[in-house]
Amino acid sequence: MTSSPASKRQKHSSASPSPPYELLYWPTIPGRGEHIRLCFEETQTPYTDTCNADPQTGPQTLRSLISGANDGDATNPPPLAPPALRHGDLLLSQTPNILLYLGPKLGLAGPGGGDGDAVYHVNQLALTALDGLSDEAHDTHHPVATGAYYEDQKEEAKRKAADYISNRLPKFLGYFERVLRGEASGGGEWLYGGQLTYADLVLWQCVDGVSFAFPVAVKQMREGGKYGRVFGLYERVKGRENIAAYLKSGRRQKYSMGIYRHYPELDAEEV
Amino acid sequence: MTSSPASKRQKHSSASPSPPYELLYWPTIPGRGEHIRLCFEETQTPYTDTCNADPQTGPQTLRSLISGANDGDATNPPPLAPPALRHGDLLLSQTPNILLYLGPKLGLAGPGGGDGDAVYHVNQLALTALDGLSDEAHDTHHPVATGAYYEDQKEEAKRKAADYISNRLPKFLGYFERVLRGEASGGGEWLYGGQLTYADLVLWQCVDGVSFAFPVAVKQMREGGKYGRVFGLYERVKGRENIAAYLKSGRRQKYSMGIYRHYPELDAEEV
């Protein structure tokens, strides 16, 4: 994608043209940056993915941004960690915060376009998916120390992953199943208000990531039939024209050693 | 506090009187609900703390709200977990989401009162404090399984807590020290824009909780002098008239077996 000014999809922004969007995130993995990418891709909004665009200078830019020597600038506090989003003079970090900012601008914040209370429901759903299906999924392979090697916490990781598969994953999938069954979903196709929001894109990426990390466990849950609405939404997002084209493109990074990692010894056993 | 309609502090809401605020959170512990209480207390906004107001019927109300049988209603998805906030017909969950909703209404969202981009900076800072100084602090005593006993993951907890004290806590305190040193703080008294925001209240509660959990480690960090701005902010919040009165009141719950737990074996050693 190019970094040209905003497309016509940005109907919720002010009359003056929107400055270009720049995503700053580690290259070569989907990671937390993927939630931001999916919003741009679904809405065909031009953006620059700095580190993937230039694997030489991009990561240097990102590293200086999150360096302990950076105190931020006149209006922006420093980011602690990526992803960060630059939009004109604004620099934001924290995945759910960036999504909250983009949601109304890209038409992904639910009925009312960010003017009413729908955006708080969408934010709630995105936060919950990120908690249980991204942060907790990460912690299964790093339960003791984020900065240490997996191999040095492998036994703890086995216990953590077993608990995740038995208790936490069903809890969160069951929650989203209820959300889709509920009236506020507006028919059960999407999580809130009968239309695609960024919460749906977040849930899709989370379910996709968890499916990579724990293919056997997720296959069993899927075949168990208790989460039909969640997997229905998953297929629905995956089949959307812009998302499907993105997933086939070189812009979609492969899972490897990021948030979602596939260690067979942490997955459920085939039955 | 009573549950009478909103006070005159709600200057950012519409002309019609605001419906009463109801906080739904477990009784007898500060927990995640404390971040919401502090906003109400600082701004002298009337609210009902349902579970503490009636320890018999309150928790029943909360349990039915987060029950697996609750699919939400026509406009509100169900909450997965407390805290939840009821405000008129609106029911919201997720701590940072409730704070985001309340911030502009209570005058705690920074310069612009929620109309400009300041609220995204405040949200970013609150999310970061909750990540590193609440969620990660919780995980030190439950690194393997949230639903299992501490005693059954005590050895893992010792490793996790040691890493937290050595690496994570300094990382997050150092981050907020940089934020306060930065120009965007507007002078270094408060985290953003030269005025008290809900991010300051969140940081205060987080530092207070971590100080309860790891008194020796925090004392050493405080005396080490590297985080003078953070502890300065801590004292500044604690000394505010409404906060000081609240902390002395019966409404402030004592720490016990919630997010922040004091297990001496997890703390640093006295030197």
Side-chain angles (χ1 to χ4, degrees), chain B residues 226-247:
Chain B
K226 283 172 74 177
Y227 313 110
R229 289 178 179 84
V230 171
F231 290 108
L233 179 147
Y234 175 84
E235 294 301 332
R236 213 169 288 123
V237 170
K238 197 173 184 175
R240 286 179 76 87
E241 190 181 345
N242 294 339
I243 298 292
Y246 167 61
L247 294 176

Side-chain angles (χ1 to χ4, degrees), chain A residues 22-255:
Chain A
E22 181 186 5
L23 170 67
L24 292 136
Y25 191 73
W26 301 124
T28 77
I29 52 168
R32 290 185 176 83
E34 194 64 10
H35 300 290
I36 321 297
R37 287 187 201 101
L38 286 168
C39 291
F40 289 137
E41 295 285 347
E42 164 60 27
T43 58
Q44 294 285 289
T45 305
Y47 67 105
T48 301
D49 186 347
T50 298
C51 291
N52 283 314
D54 188 340
Q56 296 302 315
T57 62
Q60 288 171 18
T61 304
L62 177 53
R63 268 189 216 99
S64 72
L65 205 56
I66 61 171
S67 143
N70 179 23
D71 296 343
D73 61 32
T75 54
N76 300 293
L80 177 69
L85 177 80
R86 203 182 280 285
H87 188 216
D89 293 335
L90 190 66
L91 182 77
L92 296 178
S93 64
Q94 277 282 358
T95 308
N97 188 48
I98 295 171
L99 293 169
L100 181 79
Y101 174 78
L102 291 176
K105 291 178 172 55
L106 306 187
L108 293 172
D115 288 335
D117 290 331
V119 69
Y120 297 104
H121 293 305
V122 174
N123 185 42
Q124 168 185 319
L125 295 164
L127 285 164
T128 304
L130 291 170
D131 276 356
L133 302 170
S134 176
D135 295 352
E136 288 196 26
H138 168 272
D139 291 350
T140 58
H141 53 77
H142 277 73
V144 171
T146 302
Y149 290 110
Y150 164 67
E151 285 68 22
D152 292 335
Q153 47 196 311
K154 201 168 165 178
E155 291 312 307
E156 293 91 339
K158 281 185 190 169
R159 285 188 65 192
K160 180 89 170 176
D163 179 70
Y164 187 72
I165 290 169
S166 300
N167 297 310
R168 304 300 288 175
L169 190 49
K171 181 186 175 89
F172 283 90
L173 293 179
Y175 171 72
F176 286 106
E177 189 71 14
R178 275 197 285 137
V179 169
L180 288 166
R181 198 166 56 208
E183 205 182 334
S185 73
E189 282 208 8
W190 309 112
L191 288 171
Y192 192 74
Q195 59 183 255
L196 179 85
T197 68
Y198 70 77
D200 297 301
L201 298 177
V202 168
L203 181 59
W204 182 83
Q205 171 57 26
C206 285
V207 171
D208 196 65
V210 168
S211 303
F212 169 80
F214 306 108
V216 177
V218 172
K219 183 165 170 272
Q220 288 169 359
M221 287 179 204
R222 193 165 174 146
E223 290 173 353
K226 283 172 75 177
Y227 313 110
R229 289 178 180 82
V230 171
F231 290 108
L233 180 147
Y234 175 84
E235 294 301 331
R236 213 169 289 123
V237 170
K238 196 172 184 174
R240 287 179 76 85
E241 190 181 346
N242 295 339
I243 298 293
Y246 167 62
L247 294 177
K248 277 189 220 148
S249 78
R251 298 190 302 282
R252 169 74 170 183
Q253 303 297 316
K254 286 190 170 45
Y255 295 110

